[in-house]
């Protein structure tokens, strides 16, 4: 398996995060529409820089990570989709498991990019890694992400709390 795999779908191109992705990534994370179901508040440039480094670093340490996703026809920044291990201290635990996550720029909400992207990363996990189980957490009010998870084989596992917020935990077994 390459250290920095790329993926493609019909409409999307996935690359490991680069320094050149920072400005678009920071603009997305500073958008209140995007932040409402993640941190709850727009992210600072400093926080986003740390996240970019974390996303890139996951690849070397874990053998999986988040990709920067762009629309193939325009090269427009779509967002980040991938897997992490963040030691969140949740019950049930996410530790030791790839945690799926997706955050997309507001311009592409409702276009099916999240479902297409999560399908691609799950296929990659199933065919290119030894992992047979992954999990994700989603804010209960985030109906769009709940649909994305369901479409991609994630099933409800348990409610939990993260950063003083209710979250729903889902898991997906390799087919």
């Amino acid at each position: 398996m390459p250290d920095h795999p790329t993926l493609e779908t019909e409409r999307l191109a996935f690359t490991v995060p680069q320094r050149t992705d920072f400005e678009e990534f920071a603009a997305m994370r500073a958008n209140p529409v995007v932040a409402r179901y993640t941190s709850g508040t727009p992210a600072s440039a400093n926080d986003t820089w740390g996240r970019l480094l974390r996303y890139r670093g996951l690849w070397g340490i874990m053998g999986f990570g988040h990709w920067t996703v762009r629309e193939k026809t325009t090269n427009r920044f779509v967002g980040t989709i991938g897997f992490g291990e963040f030691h969140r201290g949740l019950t049930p635990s996410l530790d030791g498991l790839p945690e799926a996550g997706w955050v997309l720029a507001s311009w592409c909400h409702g276009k099916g990019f999240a479902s297409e992207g999560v399908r691609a990363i799950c296929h990659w996990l199933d065919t290119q890694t030894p992992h047979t189980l992954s999990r994700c957490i989603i804010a209960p009010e985030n109906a769009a992400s709940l649909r994305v998870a369901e479409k991609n084989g994630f099933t409800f596992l348990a409610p939990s709390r993260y950063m003083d917020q209710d979250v729903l935990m889902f898991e997906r077994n390799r087919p």
Side-chain angles (χ1 to χ4, degrees):
M1 172 177 61
D3 287 343
H4 301 112
T6 59
L7 299 176
E8 284 193 16
T9 66
E10 182 181 336
R11 301 181 296 165
L12 304 173
F14 298 66
T15 58
V16 172
Q18 304 292 320
R19 164 64 185 91
T20 53
D21 298 321
F22 174 68
E23 284 75 18
E24 292 166 300
F25 187 35
M28 177 189 75
R29 294 191 71 239
N31 182 330
V33 171
V34 173
R36 73 180 162 201
Y37 296 128
T38 55
S39 63
T41 59
S44 69
N46 179 263
D47 180 62
T48 298
W49 179 249
R51 186 166 298 251
L52 180 78
L53 296 175
R54 207 168 30 243
Y55 283 1
R56 178 65 186 242
L58 282 164
W59 286 103
I61 295 170
M62 301 305 302
F64 56 75
H66 282 254
W67 286 270
T68 294
V69 182
R70 294 184 177 279
E71 187 178 36
K72 282 171 49 174
T73 58
T74 65
N75 201 38
R76 191 171 182 189
F77 181 84
V78 168
T80 58
I81 303 175
F83 298 98
E85 184 175 347
F86 302 114
H87 295 270
R88 296 182 192 273
L90 298 179
T91 302
S93 180
L94 298 167
D95 296 352
L97 298 171
E99 177 189 338
W102 51 94
V103 179
L104 276 63
S106 60
W107 74 266
C108 60
H109 291 177
K111 297 182 184 283
F113 287 164
S115 293
E116 183 176 329
V118 173
R119 182 171 42 258
I121 67 161
C122 288
H123 177 75
W124 176 85
L125 190 76
D126 293 343
T127 61
Q128 303 300 312
T129 78
H131 298 283
T132 60
L133 179 69
S134 58
R135 290 190 175 151
C136 67
I137 58 172
I138 302 172
E141 306 82 23
N142 190 343
S145 280
L146 293 170
R147 285 190 303 275
V148 169
E150 182 182 354
K151 286 180 189 177
N152 284 287
F154 286 89
T155 57
F156 179 72
L157 177 63
S160 193
R161 299 263 308 156
Y162 181 63
M163 295 175 49
D164 293 322
Q165 300 292 319
D166 290 329
V167 293
L168 302 175
M169 189 178 299
F170 295 83
E171 70 179 11
R172 179 184 177 277
N173 288 288
R174 180 187 293 172

